[in-house]
Structure formats: C-alpha cells, structure tokens
Amino acid sequence: MQDSTTEVTAAGIARLAGVGRAAVSNWRRRHADFPKPVGGTETSPSFALAEVEHWLRRHSKLAEVPLRERVWQQLAGHPDGPVTALTHAGCVLLLIHDRSPVWLEVSSGSDERLAAMLPGALDHVLAPRLGGVAGSRVNSAGAVNTPTAPRLLPSVPLLRGAAELAAELGARQTFEFLLGRHLDAHPRQYTLTPADLAGLMADLAGPARTVLDPACGTGALLRAVAPRPDQRLYAQDSAPELAALTALRLALHTRAPVHAAAGDTLRTDAHPGVRADAVLCHPPFNERNWGHDELAYDPRWEYGFPARTESELAWVQHALARVRDGGTAVLLMPPAAASRRSGRRIRADLLRRGALRAVVALPAGAAPPYNVPLHLWVLRRPEQAPAHPEVLLADAGRFTGEGRGGPDWQGVREAVLDAWRAHDRAGRLDERPGLARSVPVIELLDDDVDLAPARHLPPPAAADGTGLLAEVHERLGETLRLTAELTPPPVDPARPAAPGRRPLTTVGELARAGALVVRTGGNGGHARVPVLTDHDVLSGTGPSGTLPESDEEAVLTEPGDVVVPVLGGGSVARVIDEATAGAALGRNLVLLRPDPAALDAWFLAGFLRGTANNRQASSYASTAARLDVRRLQLPRIPRDEQRRYGAHFRDLDAFERALRRAGRLGERLVRGMYDGLTDGTIAPD
C-alpha cells in the first residue's frame, strides 16, 4: 500500500525516472494530466509520490520504481519530516534484526493493526538494547522513546517498504543506506568524522570495554571501536535527532548495550558516573556559549578553569573526568588549541601532571574544515605523576593528498601508530626527523607552552632534502624537453579551415540510439577502491577521493570511458586510460561509455570540450554553473574522420598533461630552493 501523503520533489521524480530535472519540467508543461503539486513552494513544488508513480507507468516513463528509491522517497517525503521517518524506520529495522518473527506477526494485517501493535513490540527491543528496562518506554534520559501508535500510523507504508528492503539487504545495511542518503541530502547540517580518521582515533585509544563519546554526532567514532566481550558504549549529543539516530545505528552495529542520551554534555552530563576505559571525542570547535558563566565551579576543571574562548579545553577536561585512572582519551582538536595564550596555563598543567601524552598534527583534508590541518590529542588520566615526563609530538603533514579526496590514510596510520606505540611502550621515542620526537616536558614549559608539533620537530635530513631536490630538477628538465616536442605546430593564418556546416547530434540522442551509455557517480558501494573526483578530472591527477560505503553499486571506470565534470562551468572531458581504470566515479561527474563501433572516445572527448558547446549546454543558478551533458553536441561524421580528429585531440591532451606536470615540478623546485636557502642546506653560491 502506497501512502498518498508521501511527497516527492521534481529532483526526486528525476531520480525515479533516471532523467534530468529539465525533462521533468518539460513533462509538466507538455502533459496536462501530469500530477498537480500538493505542497512545497511555487518555485520548488512537491507532488504526491503515488500519483507520480502512476503517471510515470501510464506514460511508459517507468517500468517499476526501484525498491531502494521508493523507500527513500517515502522517507524524504514523510509528513513529519525525514528525521522522524528515519527514526521510526531504525526502530523497526532493529526489531527485524533482533526479533524478526515478532515483526512478521505484528505486520500481518491492516496498517491500523500494525500501528497499534508495534509500540509494544518495539518496547521489548528498544529498552534492553538501549540501556533501559522492558516496559519503561526507555527512560527519559535515553535518546530513543518508543513511538506511539498515532505517531507510527503515517510511517506504516515506509516501515513495510524498509522491511522489504531489509529482506534483500539486511537490516543493518538498510539503515546505513537510508542514513547515508539523508546525510548526503543535508551536508551542511552535520559535521561528520571520516571513517579513516575515526579508525585511527580508535586505534590510538587501544582495546576498551567501556567507551564514551560525549559529542557523538552520527556515531562514527563508536562504530570504529573494535568489539570486545562485555563491552558497553556510552554516547551523548546535544541534538536529540542525532542522539536517537546514533543509538539505533550502534544498536544495529553491535550486540553491546548502547547508552545514548540527548543533551548538552558540558552543562547536563547524562553519564556523570561513568569511568570509561576510553573516551573518543570530536567536539564542536570555537564555541563561545559552552557554559563558561554557569560552570565556573565545576569539579571537572582539575587542570584550570577554561577561558570563554577555550571550549576545546573544557572538552579535554570533561574527557579526563570521565575516563578511569590509566584510561585513554583521544580528541580531535583545532590547531589553535595548541598555542592560544589563553589556554597556556591549562596546557602547562596537563603536561606537568602527565595527562597529555601526544599531539599529532594531521594532514590538511583529514576532516572538516578540510583546509585546516587539525590535531589529535592523546591523553591519559595519570595514576601517578611521572618522574621525567615526555610528550610525543608528531606531524603527518607529509601525507597530504594532491587532490580533494583526503590524505594518504595508509601512510598516516602506519607513521602515527608506529610512533605512538613505540613512545607508549618506552615512555620516549628516538628522533624521526620531520615526523616525530619525544620532547621532555620541561622544554615546553615556557611562556607560551606552544604544543604545535612543527615548531619542535627537526627538519628532514639535509642529505635527503638535497637529493630529492636534485631529482625534481632532473624530472623538470625531462618534462620541459617533452613539452617542447609535444607543442602543436603553428596554425597558418593564410589557410583557414572551411567553416562548412555539418549535421549535429547530442549526447542524449546518442544515448537513446545506443551509441553510448550515460552514468552518474556518487555511490561508494562496498568495495574499497580509489575514487575519481571532479578535482582529479580538472587537475589531471590520479584518483584521490573517498566515498562513504553504501549499498548502491559504485560506477567503476573502464578504459575508453569519457568522464565530464558537471559543476564549475569549465570545458573539461577526460578519457580513462589503463592507469585510471577501475576507480569509482565520484560526485558531480558523468561518465559516457561509447560503443567503439560507433564512436571514437577521443573524438567524443575533444568535441565535448568546445567552449561554445559547453556554453549552450550550461545552466546557471546564482553564481554556480551546471552542465547538462545530454545537451552537448558533436558532428555526425564517419568513423574514419572521427579517428583523425581523435588523434589530434589525443596529442593536445598529452601536451596539456606535460604542461601540468612541468608546472607542478616547477613549484616543487622553487619551494625546495627557498627552503634550502633559508634553512642552510643549500649554499647561495
């Protein structure tokens, strides 16, 4: 049964039918029987999903709505909002996960019967799994309260659809799919902790039975914790909807009891009696209204009362107050927290008493804000003050990635974990130039107590630096010679080409004729493969991105594919070669897979790059330009003539790549020369 109150936008209709939004606008203008808006605004109307499905089938625009898309549209168009819908779906998926026979029994019969019986069935699953007692409707401090029958009734079609999807994917994977789609649809509402960073933080904390995240967000840090017998997970977030979604996500992920609560952790701590083995935390940064005035005499400030501008140091002390003696806390911190003068007294006391054990500078791009190299602080509640304390300072900046896809996480993990474990075992670490060293606390207790690792680490070995510089110089010379060889011959102005008009076709027409296949990117799938981003295509670099794991199959590139960015207004198209093949297609990219018998890939890519071609196929919203790839044009010419054009376009591409490589090498050479002259490793003569 389809819920007639579920609404869908024009963008959702386009996803259902596999077309662009322009096609939906055309249908509305050309077909008098197209469903009328039932909500939204004049500029962004919404339509009844059931009416849209019926119209699409009647006009042969859609054979059948894919189950995943139908469930997602039911969730996104829920009358009480997507968060309520996702919470209801999560409760039912947990019931299916833990007690599937109960779901089968209560779901047989009418929607009204299901809504009436479901609260009792949910209560016996939610309460024990989320730290309550059966029959309590989950206590008021808990993150999830059993929804009542009237609240559940509008969600029944969604719940039946989610159950059907769970039979295909599994309950856990279904919730991850729906949550992932929700987060992708509202990227500015949530600050996410990337999975690679969460894994590194959990590994730094080490094995733990009791783990707390006092600013849990979507639960990435607690999901990264390795499971252990008798494990217990504690979570809290100031946003009630996030606390509820995280509680359900963790309950589906682990058999450990999950104690999740909503509320402001610093002002109203829901877990005051917890003494965890490990605390993992990605706190909010630069908060002024964190409770400075109300919490002046709070017993958690063992190391000093944080200034109004030092909210992060309040979170540090909260974490130390909730960890047992000898337990570990790992926090993601802004780099300013290591050097702001307003926090120097607290930093000094953390050092003197042996609570701060390591500060690790991450590469830029590790987590939002992506342009800032954030820090990890590793703390341990001291059982006794060390006699000669040393703190580990490490800088993983060398692992910054060239593209926007993030750093080289394998390199970061290996370097940071190896340095931390060696330091933790012995209490100190032999110097690793440019990477890490153990610094005696006495060296840091000056007027500034500056803990920024780069200011205390020795530079890389001079021999290595000059050797790398010589290698860059040699590679630049080879690239410049290649660039000269690839330079196109001059155009003779006395022999202009005849401007004869040729019949044109569009990418959309070629796709309908079967001459090429059009695919869009953005799904991560389950396989961990490199992701080709729009930045990689624009800059001509290798796959550098990541995508969250999803149950939607990733689009993998093949040799001869043509990839086109759709944002930014530039005229760029890239032909996939053997080196790039197998990468997943990232967001804001369209892949064209030509039939070799009908189209030459280089001919296709070359004509797609024409400036006039891109201008006529682009639309503009505010200051952003979006390319409608299906409207791009190319001439109808025989295959042999396509190959001649393609050969020229291939030569131009090789020349362009050589110019880019020369530019990058030139920048490295100049930067290295400046560094060498200023640090004394290169003599001015």
Side-chain angles (χ1 to χ4, degrees), residues 503-562:
L504 298 176
T505 186
T506 65
V507 168
E509 290 172 351
L510 290 170
R512 288 191 289 273
L516 56 78
V517 175
V518 181
R519 303 288 300 276
T520 56
N523 298 317
H526 289 292
R528 303 297 294 176
V529 298
V531 175
L532 187 69
T533 69
D534 55 348
H535 183 266
D536 299 331
V537 176
L538 293 168
S539 61
T541 55
S544 66
T546 58
L547 285 170
E549 184 176 332
S550 71
D551 289 308
E552 293 192 64
E553 184 180 355
V555 177
L556 302 182
T557 58
E558 297 179 1
D561 289 344
V562 178

Short mmCIF file of all heavy atoms in Angstrom, two decimals, residues 503-562:
data_model
loop_
_atom_site.label_atom_id
_atom_site.label_comp_id
_atom_site.label_asym_id
_atom_site.label_seq_id
_atom_site.Cartn_x
_atom_site.Cartn_y
_atom_site.Cartn_z
N PRO A 503 25.97 18.25 -40.03
CA PRO A 503 24.83 17.86 -39.19
C PRO A 503 25.30 17.51 -37.78
O PRO A 503 26.34 16.86 -37.61
CB PRO A 503 24.25 16.64 -39.91
CG PRO A 503 25.36 16.13 -40.76
CD PRO A 503 26.19 17.32 -41.15
N LEU A 504 24.54 17.94 -36.77
CA LEU A 504 24.92 17.73 -35.38
C LEU A 504 23.98 16.75 -34.69
O LEU A 504 22.82 16.59 -35.09
CB LEU A 504 24.90 19.06 -34.62
CG LEU A 504 25.87 20.15 -35.10
CD1 LEU A 504 25.65 21.44 -34.32
CD2 LEU A 504 27.31 19.68 -34.97
N THR A 505 24.50 16.11 -33.68
CA THR A 505 23.67 15.28 -32.80
C THR A 505 24.04 15.65 -31.37
O THR A 505 24.98 16.41 -31.13
CB THR A 505 23.91 13.78 -33.05
OG1 THR A 505 22.99 13.03 -32.26
CG2 THR A 505 25.33 13.37 -32.69
N THR A 506 23.30 15.14 -30.40
CA THR A 506 23.59 15.43 -29.00
C THR A 506 23.92 14.13 -28.27
O THR A 506 23.62 13.02 -28.74
CB THR A 506 22.38 16.09 -28.31
OG1 THR A 506 21.29 15.16 -28.28
CG2 THR A 506 21.96 17.35 -29.04
N VAL A 507 24.51 14.30 -27.10
CA VAL A 507 24.82 13.13 -26.27
C VAL A 507 23.54 12.39 -25.92
O VAL A 507 23.50 11.15 -25.90
CB VAL A 507 25.58 13.58 -25.00
CG1 VAL A 507 25.66 12.44 -23.99
CG2 VAL A 507 26.98 14.06 -25.36
N GLY A 508 22.46 13.14 -25.63
CA GLY A 508 21.20 12.49 -25.29
C GLY A 508 20.67 11.64 -26.43
O GLY A 508 20.19 10.51 -26.22
N GLU A 509 20.76 12.14 -27.68
CA GLU A 509 20.30 11.36 -28.83
C GLU A 509 21.17 10.13 -29.03
O GLU A 509 20.67 9.04 -29.35
CB GLU A 509 20.34 12.24 -30.08
CG GLU A 509 19.28 13.33 -30.08
CD GLU A 509 19.46 14.31 -31.23
OE1 GLU A 509 20.51 14.23 -31.91
OE2 GLU A 509 18.57 15.16 -31.45
N LEU A 510 22.48 10.27 -28.84
CA LEU A 510 23.37 9.12 -28.99
C LEU A 510 23.08 8.06 -27.92
O LEU A 510 23.16 6.86 -28.20
CB LEU A 510 24.83 9.58 -28.89
CG LEU A 510 25.34 10.42 -30.07
CD1 LEU A 510 26.69 11.02 -29.74
CD2 LEU A 510 25.44 9.55 -31.33
N ALA A 511 22.74 8.51 -26.70
CA ALA A 511 22.41 7.56 -25.64
C ALA A 511 21.13 6.80 -25.98
O ALA A 511 21.04 5.58 -25.79
CB ALA A 511 22.27 8.29 -24.31
N ARG A 512 20.12 7.51 -26.51
CA ARG A 512 18.87 6.84 -26.87
C ARG A 512 19.07 5.87 -28.02
O ARG A 512 18.38 4.85 -28.11
CB ARG A 512 17.80 7.88 -27.22
CG ARG A 512 17.27 8.65 -26.02
CD ARG A 512 16.04 9.46 -26.37
NE ARG A 512 16.36 10.59 -27.22
CZ ARG A 512 16.74 11.77 -26.76
NH1 ARG A 512 16.86 11.97 -25.46
NH2 ARG A 512 17.01 12.76 -27.60
N ALA A 513 20.04 6.18 -28.91
CA ALA A 513 20.30 5.29 -30.05
C ALA A 513 21.22 4.13 -29.68
O ALA A 513 21.46 3.25 -30.50
CB ALA A 513 20.94 6.10 -31.18
N GLY A 514 21.74 4.12 -28.45
CA GLY A 514 22.61 3.02 -28.02
C GLY A 514 24.06 3.19 -28.41
O GLY A 514 24.86 2.27 -28.25
N ALA A 515 24.44 4.39 -28.92
CA ALA A 515 25.84 4.61 -29.30
C ALA A 515 26.73 4.85 -28.09
O ALA A 515 27.95 4.73 -28.18
CB ALA A 515 25.94 5.79 -30.26
N LEU A 516 26.14 5.21 -26.97
CA LEU A 516 26.90 5.37 -25.73
C LEU A 516 25.96 5.19 -24.55
O LEU A 516 24.73 5.25 -24.69
CB LEU A 516 27.62 6.72 -25.67
CG LEU A 516 26.83 8.03 -25.82
CD1 LEU A 516 26.11 8.41 -24.54
CD2 LEU A 516 27.78 9.16 -26.21
N VAL A 517 26.56 4.97 -23.38
CA VAL A 517 25.81 4.80 -22.13
C VAL A 517 26.19 5.95 -21.21
O VAL A 517 27.37 6.32 -21.12
CB VAL A 517 26.14 3.45 -21.45
CG1 VAL A 517 25.47 3.35 -20.09
CG2 VAL A 517 25.73 2.30 -22.35
N VAL A 518 25.21 6.54 -20.53
CA VAL A 518 25.44 7.65 -19.61
C VAL A 518 25.24 7.15 -18.18
O VAL A 518 24.21 6.55 -17.87
CB VAL A 518 24.47 8.82 -19.89
CG1 VAL A 518 24.74 9.99 -18.94
CG2 VAL A 518 24.58 9.27 -21.34
N ARG A 519 26.26 7.38 -17.33
CA ARG A 519 26.16 7.00 -15.91
C ARG A 519 26.57 8.20 -15.05
O ARG A 519 27.45 8.98 -15.44
CB ARG A 519 27.08 5.82 -15.58
CG ARG A 519 26.84 4.57 -16.40
CD ARG A 519 25.56 3.86 -16.01
NE ARG A 519 25.54 3.45 -14.63
CZ ARG A 519 26.08 2.31 -14.18
NH1 ARG A 519 26.71 1.50 -15.02
NH2 ARG A 519 26.00 1.98 -12.91
N THR A 520 25.97 8.33 -13.88
CA THR A 520 26.36 9.39 -12.94
C THR A 520 27.02 8.76 -11.72
O THR A 520 26.72 7.61 -11.35
CB THR A 520 25.13 10.20 -12.49
OG1 THR A 520 24.16 9.31 -11.92
CG2 THR A 520 24.53 10.94 -13.65
N GLY A 521 27.93 9.51 -11.09
CA GLY A 521 28.69 8.98 -9.96
C GLY A 521 28.14 9.43 -8.63
O GLY A 521 27.14 10.14 -8.54
N GLY A 522 28.84 9.00 -7.55
CA GLY A 522 28.49 9.43 -6.21
C GLY A 522 28.20 8.33 -5.23
O GLY A 522 28.02 8.59 -4.04
N ASN A 523 28.18 7.06 -5.67
CA ASN A 523 27.92 5.93 -4.77
C ASN A 523 29.21 5.18 -4.50
O ASN A 523 30.00 4.92 -5.41
CB ASN A 523 26.88 4.98 -5.37
CG ASN A 523 25.54 5.67 -5.58
OD1 ASN A 523 25.10 6.41 -4.71
ND2 ASN A 523 24.92 5.46 -6.72
N GLY A 524 29.42 4.81 -3.22
CA GLY A 524 30.67 4.18 -2.83
C GLY A 524 30.67 2.67 -2.94
O GLY A 524 31.73 2.07 -3.05
N GLY A 525 29.48 2.03 -2.90
CA GLY A 525 29.44 0.58 -2.92
C GLY A 525 30.10 0.00 -1.67
O GLY A 525 30.31 0.68 -0.67
N HIS A 526 30.44 -1.28 -1.72
CA HIS A 526 31.08 -1.96 -0.58
C HIS A 526 32.57 -2.16 -0.79
O HIS A 526 33.31 -2.32 0.16
CB HIS A 526 30.41 -3.31 -0.32
CG HIS A 526 29.03 -3.19 0.26
ND1 HIS A 526 28.79 -2.71 1.52
CD2 HIS A 526 27.81 -3.43 -0.28
CE1 HIS A 526 27.49 -2.70 1.75
NE2 HIS A 526 26.87 -3.13 0.67
N ALA A 527 33.02 -2.19 -2.04
CA ALA A 527 34.44 -2.41 -2.32
C ALA A 527 35.22 -1.13 -2.04
O ALA A 527 34.80 -0.04 -2.38
CB ALA A 527 34.64 -2.84 -3.77
N ARG A 528 36.38 -1.28 -1.37
CA ARG A 528 37.23 -0.14 -1.08
C ARG A 528 38.15 0.11 -2.26
O ARG A 528 39.20 -0.50 -2.40
CB ARG A 528 38.04 -0.38 0.19
CG ARG A 528 37.19 -0.68 1.42
CD ARG A 528 36.30 0.47 1.78
NE ARG A 528 37.05 1.64 2.22
CZ ARG A 528 36.50 2.80 2.51
NH1 ARG A 528 35.20 2.97 2.37
NH2 ARG A 528 37.24 3.80 2.92
N VAL A 529 37.74 0.97 -3.17
CA VAL A 529 38.53 1.28 -4.36
C VAL A 529 38.76 2.78 -4.40
O VAL A 529 38.01 3.56 -3.81
CB VAL A 529 37.82 0.81 -5.65
CG1 VAL A 529 37.63 -0.69 -5.65
CG2 VAL A 529 36.47 1.51 -5.81
N PRO A 530 39.84 3.23 -5.10
CA PRO A 530 40.05 4.67 -5.24
C PRO A 530 38.87 5.33 -5.94
O PRO A 530 38.19 4.70 -6.75
CB PRO A 530 41.33 4.76 -6.08
CG PRO A 530 41.98 3.43 -5.98
CD PRO A 530 40.88 2.43 -5.77
N VAL A 531 38.65 6.60 -5.63
CA VAL A 531 37.52 7.33 -6.20
C VAL A 531 38.06 8.48 -7.04
O VAL A 531 38.89 9.28 -6.58
CB VAL A 531 36.61 7.88 -5.08
CG1 VAL A 531 35.50 8.74 -5.67
CG2 VAL A 531 36.01 6.71 -4.29
N LEU A 532 37.59 8.56 -8.28
CA LEU A 532 37.95 9.65 -9.17
C LEU A 532 37.02 10.83 -8.87
O LEU A 532 35.81 10.74 -9.03
CB LEU A 532 37.82 9.22 -10.63
CG LEU A 532 38.32 10.20 -11.68
CD1 LEU A 532 39.84 10.31 -11.63
CD2 LEU A 532 37.87 9.78 -13.07
N THR A 533 37.58 11.96 -8.42
CA THR A 533 36.78 13.13 -8.07
C THR A 533 36.76 14.13 -9.21
O THR A 533 37.56 14.05 -10.15
CB THR A 533 37.36 13.81 -6.81
OG1 THR A 533 38.63 14.40 -7.15
CG2 THR A 533 37.56 12.82 -5.68
N ASP A 534 35.86 15.11 -9.10
CA ASP A 534 35.83 16.15 -10.12
C ASP A 534 37.13 16.96 -10.12
O ASP A 534 37.61 17.40 -11.16
CB ASP A 534 34.61 17.06 -9.93
CG ASP A 534 34.52 17.66 -8.53
OD1 ASP A 534 35.26 17.22 -7.64
OD2 ASP A 534 33.69 18.57 -8.33
N HIS A 535 37.73 17.12 -8.94
CA HIS A 535 39.02 17.83 -8.87
C HIS A 535 40.10 17.04 -9.59
O HIS A 535 40.97 17.63 -10.25
CB HIS A 535 39.41 18.06 -7.41
CG HIS A 535 40.67 18.84 -7.25
ND1 HIS A 535 41.91 18.24 -7.09
CD2 HIS A 535 40.89 20.17 -7.24
CE1 HIS A 535 42.83 19.17 -6.98
NE2 HIS A 535 42.26 20.35 -7.06
N ASP A 536 40.09 15.72 -9.47
CA ASP A 536 41.07 14.90 -10.19
C ASP A 536 40.95 15.10 -11.69
O ASP A 536 41.95 15.18 -12.41
CB ASP A 536 40.88 13.41 -9.85
CG ASP A 536 41.07 13.11 -8.38
OD1 ASP A 536 41.85 13.82 -7.73
OD2 ASP A 536 40.42 12.17 -7.89
N VAL A 537 39.72 15.14 -12.18
CA VAL A 537 39.50 15.33 -13.63
C VAL A 537 39.97 16.71 -14.06
O VAL A 537 40.64 16.86 -15.08
CB VAL A 537 38.01 15.12 -13.98
CG1 VAL A 537 37.76 15.42 -15.44
CG2 VAL A 537 37.58 13.69 -13.65
N LEU A 538 39.65 17.72 -13.26
CA LEU A 538 40.02 19.09 -13.62
C LEU A 538 41.53 19.30 -13.58
O LEU A 538 42.08 20.04 -14.39
CB LEU A 538 39.33 20.08 -12.69
CG LEU A 538 37.80 20.17 -12.81
CD1 LEU A 538 37.21 20.96 -11.66
CD2 LEU A 538 37.40 20.79 -14.13
N SER A 539 42.21 18.65 -12.61
CA SER A 539 43.65 18.87 -12.45
C SER A 539 44.49 17.82 -13.16
O SER A 539 45.71 17.93 -13.20
CB SER A 539 44.02 18.88 -10.96
OG SER A 539 43.69 17.63 -10.36
N GLY A 540 43.86 16.79 -13.73
CA GLY A 540 44.60 15.77 -14.45
C GLY A 540 45.38 14.83 -13.56
O GLY A 540 46.34 14.20 -14.01
N THR A 541 44.99 14.68 -12.29
CA THR A 541 45.70 13.80 -11.36
C THR A 541 44.98 12.47 -11.24
O THR A 541 43.87 12.28 -11.74
CB THR A 541 45.82 14.47 -9.99
OG1 THR A 541 44.50 14.84 -9.53
CG2 THR A 541 46.67 15.73 -10.07
N GLY A 542 45.61 11.52 -10.53
CA GLY A 542 45.02 10.20 -10.34
C GLY A 542 43.89 10.22 -9.33
O GLY A 542 43.66 11.23 -8.64
N PRO A 543 43.16 9.11 -9.20
CA PRO A 543 42.05 9.04 -8.25
C PRO A 543 42.53 9.31 -6.83
O PRO A 543 43.48 8.68 -6.36
CB PRO A 543 41.53 7.61 -8.39
CG PRO A 543 42.01 7.17 -9.74
CD PRO A 543 43.31 7.86 -9.97
N SER A 544 41.88 10.26 -6.15
CA SER A 544 42.36 10.65 -4.82
C SER A 544 41.25 10.70 -3.78
O SER A 544 41.51 11.01 -2.63
CB SER A 544 43.00 12.05 -4.89
OG SER A 544 42.03 13.03 -5.22
N GLY A 545 40.03 10.41 -4.17
CA GLY A 545 38.91 10.66 -3.28
C GLY A 545 38.44 9.42 -2.53
O GLY A 545 38.95 8.31 -2.72
N THR A 546 37.46 9.64 -1.69
CA THR A 546 36.78 8.58 -0.97
C THR A 546 35.28 8.87 -1.01
O THR A 546 34.86 10.01 -1.18
CB THR A 546 37.23 8.48 0.49
OG1 THR A 546 36.99 9.74 1.14
CG2 THR A 546 38.71 8.14 0.59
N LEU A 547 34.50 7.82 -0.85
CA LEU A 547 33.05 7.95 -0.73
C LEU A 547 32.60 7.08 0.42
O LEU A 547 33.20 6.02 0.68
CB LEU A 547 32.36 7.50 -2.02
CG LEU A 547 32.42 8.44 -3.23
CD1 LEU A 547 31.91 7.72 -4.47
CD2 LEU A 547 31.60 9.70 -2.98
N PRO A 548 31.56 7.49 1.16
CA PRO A 548 31.05 6.62 2.22
C PRO A 548 30.52 5.31 1.64
O PRO A 548 29.96 5.28 0.54
CB PRO A 548 29.92 7.45 2.85
CG PRO A 548 29.54 8.44 1.80
CD PRO A 548 30.78 8.73 1.04
N GLU A 549 30.74 4.23 2.38
CA GLU A 549 30.24 2.93 1.93
C GLU A 549 28.73 2.98 1.81
O GLU A 549 28.03 3.56 2.63
CB GLU A 549 30.66 1.85 2.93
CG GLU A 549 30.29 0.46 2.52
CD GLU A 549 30.81 -0.59 3.49
OE1 GLU A 549 31.84 -0.32 4.14
OE2 GLU A 549 30.19 -1.65 3.60
N SER A 550 28.21 2.40 0.75
CA SER A 550 26.76 2.39 0.54
C SER A 550 26.37 1.09 -0.13
O SER A 550 27.21 0.35 -0.65
CB SER A 550 26.33 3.58 -0.32
OG SER A 550 26.75 3.40 -1.66
N ASP A 551 25.07 0.83 -0.11
CA ASP A 551 24.57 -0.38 -0.75
C ASP A 551 24.24 -0.15 -2.21
O ASP A 551 23.85 -1.08 -2.91
CB ASP A 551 23.32 -0.89 -0.01
CG ASP A 551 23.68 -1.47 1.35
OD1 ASP A 551 24.58 -2.32 1.39
OD2 ASP A 551 23.09 -1.05 2.35
N GLU A 552 24.36 1.09 -2.68
CA GLU A 552 24.19 1.36 -4.10
C GLU A 552 25.50 1.09 -4.81
O GLU A 552 26.56 1.52 -4.38
CB GLU A 552 23.74 2.80 -4.31
CG GLU A 552 22.35 3.07 -3.78
CD GLU A 552 21.81 4.40 -4.27
OE1 GLU A 552 21.62 4.57 -5.48
OE2 GLU A 552 21.60 5.27 -3.42
N GLU A 553 25.43 0.35 -5.89
CA GLU A 553 26.63 -0.08 -6.59
C GLU A 553 27.40 1.11 -7.13
O GLU A 553 26.84 2.03 -7.72
CB GLU A 553 26.23 -1.01 -7.74
CG GLU A 553 27.43 -1.61 -8.48
CD GLU A 553 26.98 -2.52 -9.61
OE1 GLU A 553 25.76 -2.74 -9.72
OE2 GLU A 553 27.84 -2.99 -10.37
N ALA A 554 28.73 1.09 -6.93
CA ALA A 554 29.58 2.16 -7.46
C ALA A 554 29.72 1.99 -8.97
O ALA A 554 29.69 0.88 -9.50
CB ALA A 554 30.95 2.11 -6.80
N VAL A 555 29.89 3.11 -9.67
CA VAL A 555 30.17 3.09 -11.11
C VAL A 555 31.69 3.05 -11.27
O VAL A 555 32.38 3.97 -10.85
CB VAL A 555 29.60 4.34 -11.81
CG1 VAL A 555 29.97 4.34 -13.29
CG2 VAL A 555 28.08 4.39 -11.64
N LEU A 556 32.21 1.97 -11.82
CA LEU A 556 33.65 1.81 -11.99
C LEU A 556 34.05 2.16 -13.41
O LEU A 556 33.40 1.75 -14.38
CB LEU A 556 34.06 0.37 -11.66
CG LEU A 556 33.72 -0.13 -10.25
CD1 LEU A 556 34.24 -1.56 -10.05
CD2 LEU A 556 34.30 0.80 -9.19
N THR A 557 35.12 2.91 -13.53
CA THR A 557 35.58 3.36 -14.84
C THR A 557 36.27 2.24 -15.61
O THR A 557 36.84 1.32 -15.02
CB THR A 557 36.56 4.54 -14.70
OG1 THR A 557 37.67 4.12 -13.89
CG2 THR A 557 35.88 5.73 -14.05
N GLU A 558 36.20 2.33 -16.94
CA GLU A 558 36.85 1.38 -17.83
C GLU A 558 37.66 2.16 -18.87
O GLU A 558 37.34 3.31 -19.18
CB GLU A 558 35.82 0.50 -18.54
CG GLU A 558 35.00 -0.38 -17.60
CD GLU A 558 33.97 -1.22 -18.36
OE1 GLU A 558 33.92 -1.10 -19.62
OE2 GLU A 558 33.21 -1.94 -17.69
N PRO A 559 38.73 1.55 -19.42
CA PRO A 559 39.49 2.24 -20.47
C PRO A 559 38.58 2.64 -21.64
O PRO A 559 37.74 1.86 -22.09
CB PRO A 559 40.52 1.19 -20.91
CG PRO A 559 40.66 0.29 -19.73
CD PRO A 559 39.31 0.23 -19.09
N GLY A 560 38.73 3.87 -22.10
CA GLY A 560 37.90 4.38 -23.19
C GLY A 560 36.69 5.14 -22.74
O GLY A 560 36.00 5.77 -23.56
N ASP A 561 36.36 5.11 -21.43
CA ASP A 561 35.27 5.94 -20.92
C ASP A 561 35.66 7.41 -21.01
O ASP A 561 36.84 7.77 -20.92
CB ASP A 561 34.96 5.60 -19.46
CG ASP A 561 34.31 4.24 -19.30
OD1 ASP A 561 33.81 3.70 -20.29
OD2 ASP A 561 34.32 3.72 -18.16
N VAL A 562 34.67 8.27 -21.14
CA VAL A 562 34.88 9.72 -21.12
C VAL A 562 34.15 10.27 -19.90
O VAL A 562 32.95 10.05 -19.74
CB VAL A 562 34.37 10.39 -22.41
CG1 VAL A 562 34.55 11.90 -22.33
CG2 VAL A 562 35.09 9.83 -23.62
#
